[in-house]
């Protein structure tokens, strides 16, 4: 039997994908990435096995995500189209890397994901997989299966007795990890519609934030944040702490029209309290310690770095070359910024 490693979320699409792939003759191994989305992995794991996965992997990638993905983007000052700090985009090459690793470990010949044909994530998963191992077959069930609507998919789930989560499905498409939260679809598709308060989870409405300023001193060593108000934090704890401080002050809400990789414009909303604080403080520190020509040159590199990240080209030689350049610029980016 051919084996496939499916990036599984526990939602309707990837649950149906397990059964659909099995019907196509595959032995399905479900794979879940913990990038700090705070889910009940045990419950989801049980559901995957009940649906028919022969094995389930849950991989804790939080530390690696911060150290090898978020922090390099912080040093680079990566921001897409001037507004998006790339939380979702940064997680995809990491998830794909582990998916390929598990495929090798399990001697699987294919990987599968539950992305649709409209978004960026399908490209990021597939390009990364292809860069790491071009011999792996890539299957995107949602893009090719016969269901024309969610209702048809639900009927299929019922017919095949696929256990699906009964809680009401959110009208939004949401992706969350340690670095931020992305919200799209539903009423947000109309750019005239003010984002309803219900879409936010990490940030308070600025109207409900304290009426007096919260001050923080953020200390960096070689371009990376290490201390808040003189106290050291581990990389994960530092992001969590800044998410709380920023969130309480309504920091990090973004509302934008974004140019997707696939040629579609889309309305996107983001919450990124920690990332926003770090991005601003880092830029202020650089303005104090870097020389004019480095600052100007680095602007061009940041722009390119954000583009490559957004396009899923994290594993390319040019991205690694830019990392070398950026690391060189960060040698003197040490000091404390008060916000
Ligand atoms: N537009 C953002 C990006 O391409 C966010 C995507 C969010 N993904 C999702 N499944 N809701 O990076």
């Amino acid at each position: 039997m051919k084996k496939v490693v499916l990036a599984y979320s526990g939602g309707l699409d990837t649950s149906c994908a397990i059964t659909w792939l099995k019907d196509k003759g595959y032995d399905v191994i479900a794979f879940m990435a913990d990038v700090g989305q705070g889910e009940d992995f045990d419950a989801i794991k049980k559901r995957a096995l009940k649906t028919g996965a022969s094995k389930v992997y849950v991989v804790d990638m939080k530390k690696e995500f911060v150290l090898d993905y978020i922090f390099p983007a912080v040093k680079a000052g990566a921001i897409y189209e001037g507004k998006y700090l790339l939380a979702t985009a940064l997680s995809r090459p990491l998830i794909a890397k582990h998916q390929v690793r598990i495929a090798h470990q399990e001697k699987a010949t294919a990987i599968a994901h539950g992305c649709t044909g409209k978004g960026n994530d399908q490209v990021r998963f597939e390009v990364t997989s292809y860069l790491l191992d071009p011999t792996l077959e890539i299957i995107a069930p949602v893009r090719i299966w016969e269901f024309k609507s969610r209702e048809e998919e639900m009927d299929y789930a019922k017919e095949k007795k696929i256990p699906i989560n009964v809680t009401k499905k959110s009208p939004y498409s949401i992706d969350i990890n340690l670095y931020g939260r992305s919200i799209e679809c539903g009423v947000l598709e109309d750019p005239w519609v003010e984002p309803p308060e219900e879409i936010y989870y990490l940030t308070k409405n600025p109207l409900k934030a304290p009426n007096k300023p919260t001050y923080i001193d953020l200390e960096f060593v070689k371009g990376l944040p290490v201390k808040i108000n003189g106290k050291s934090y581990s990389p994960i704890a530092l992001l969590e702490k800044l998410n709380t401080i920023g969130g309480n002050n309504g920091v990090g809400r973004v509302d934008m029209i974004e140019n997707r990789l696939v040629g579609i414009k889309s309305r996107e909303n983001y919450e990124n309290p920690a990332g926003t604080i770090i991005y601003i403080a880092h830029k202020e520190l650089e303005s104090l310690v870097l020389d004019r020509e480095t600052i100007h040159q680095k602007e061009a590199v940041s722009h390119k770095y954000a583009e490559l990240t957004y396009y899923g080209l994290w594993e390319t030689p040019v991205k690694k070359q830019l990392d070398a350049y950026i690391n060189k610029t960060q040698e003197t980016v040490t000091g404390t910024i008060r916000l």
Side-chain angles (χ1 to χ4, degrees):
M1 232 178 162
K2 288 188 292 182
K3 270 191 196 174
V4 59
V5 178
L6 167 72
Y8 177 77
S9 72
L12 178 65
D13 287 342
T14 53
S15 293
C16 288
I18 293 182
T19 308
W20 188 86
L21 286 163
K22 282 185 74 181
D23 283 351
K24 294 267 178 290
Y26 284 93
D27 172 8
V28 183
I29 294 165
F31 152 70
M32 279 181 288
D34 181 358
V35 284
Q37 66 271 48
E39 258 170 318
D40 182 353
F41 289 108
D42 282 339
I44 305 176
K45 188 173 173 172
K46 279 195 195 112
R47 199 175 320 142
L49 291 169
K50 217 172 145 198
T51 309
S54 64
K55 212 170 180 181
V56 183
Y57 281 85
V58 180
V59 185
D60 180 353
M61 305 174 193
K62 294 195 287 293
K63 193 162 174 205
E64 190 181 2
F65 185 37
V66 181
L67 296 181
D68 297 343
Y69 293 76
I70 297 172
F71 276 4
V74 164
K75 287 193 268 188
I79 192 162
Y80 185 69
E81 297 187 338
K83 290 177 111 174
Y84 171 37
L85 285 166
L86 299 157
T88 298
L90 284 164
S91 72
R92 299 320 191 195
L94 169 64
I95 297 170
K97 185 178 85 180
H98 282 277
Q99 192 175 13
V100 169
R101 175 180 64 75
I102 290 168
H104 290 161
Q105 196 173 312
E106 289 286 341
K107 299 196 170 36
T109 56
I111 59 143
H113 61 72
C115 302
T116 68
K118 285 187 175 178
N120 298 312
D121 290 332
Q122 53 171 343
V123 184
R124 296 172 183 146
F125 282 125
E126 293 181 24
V127 166
T128 307
S129 169
Y130 194 73
L131 282 163
L132 296 175
D133 181 356
T135 68
L136 284 173
E137 182 193 359
I138 298 168
I139 313 171
V142 179
R143 228 163 42 198
I144 52 176
W145 63 27
E146 51 281 17
F147 319 124
K148 283 179 193 65
S149 63
R150 217 180 145 74
E151 286 65 43
E152 282 188 35
E153 214 183 317
M154 296 276 253
D155 290 343
Y156 175 79
K158 204 178 262 171
E159 179 201 321
K160 297 277 184 179
K161 299 198 169 45
I162 297 169
I164 48 172
N165 204 342
V166 285
T167 52
K168 197 166 133 256
K169 191 185 157 16
S170 151
Y172 309 106
S173 168
I174 295 170
D175 180 64
I176 180 166
N177 63 46
L178 267 177
Y179 198 43
R181 193 161 166 272
S182 310
I183 314 110
E184 47 191 33
C185 302
V187 290
L188 298 169
E189 305 233 310
D190 177 355
W192 274 114
V193 172
E194 182 176 343
E197 199 52 33
E198 64 175 14
I199 73 164
Y200 299 109
Y201 170 70
L202 296 173
T203 54
K204 255 190 200 165
N205 186 319
L207 290 171
K208 300 212 169 111
N211 259 337
K212 56 178 185 19
T214 301
Y215 286 93
I216 59 163
D217 285 357
L218 191 56
E219 186 176 330
F220 290 83
V221 174
K222 293 191 185 203
L224 292 179
V226 291
K227 284 185 188 174
I228 305 166
N229 296 331
K231 191 172 167 228
S232 296
Y233 287 86
S234 74
I236 294 174
L238 183 128
L239 285 178
E240 288 169 347
K241 179 81 184 167
L242 291 178
N243 268 335
T244 305
I245 298 172
N248 282 336
N249 285 279
V251 171
R253 290 185 175 188
V254 169
D255 184 354
M256 69 188 286
I257 300 295
E258 185 175 295
N259 287 292
R260 285 190 186 167
L261 178 50
V262 293
I264 296 172
K265 278 190 191 290
S266 68
R267 167 75 165 306
E268 303 283 334
N269 284 267
Y270 298 107
E271 291 185 285
N272 195 268
T276 304
I277 291 171
I278 295 168
Y279 175 81
I280 290 172
H282 181 255
K283 211 173 160 81
E284 296 299 331
L285 180 56
E286 286 190 332
S287 74
L288 282 159
V289 301
L290 296 182
D291 62 284
R292 181 190 64 209
E293 290 308 314
T294 303
I295 289 175
H296 294 181
Q297 180 56 39
K298 193 177 172 246
E299 279 172 10
V301 174
S302 296
H303 186 264
K304 186 74 190 171
Y305 200 96
E307 244 175 30
L308 293 172
T309 305
Y310 190 86
Y311 297 167
L313 297 174
W314 189 261
E315 290 290 345
T316 54
V318 64
K319 205 285 283 167
K320 289 169 197 162
Q321 292 148 18
L322 296 188
D323 276 323
Y325 165 82
I326 284 158
N327 282 332
K328 188 75 192 157
T329 66
Q330 298 301 293
E331 284 173 356
T332 57
V333 185
T334 294
T336 303
I337 290 295
R338 179 165 303 154
L339 297 170

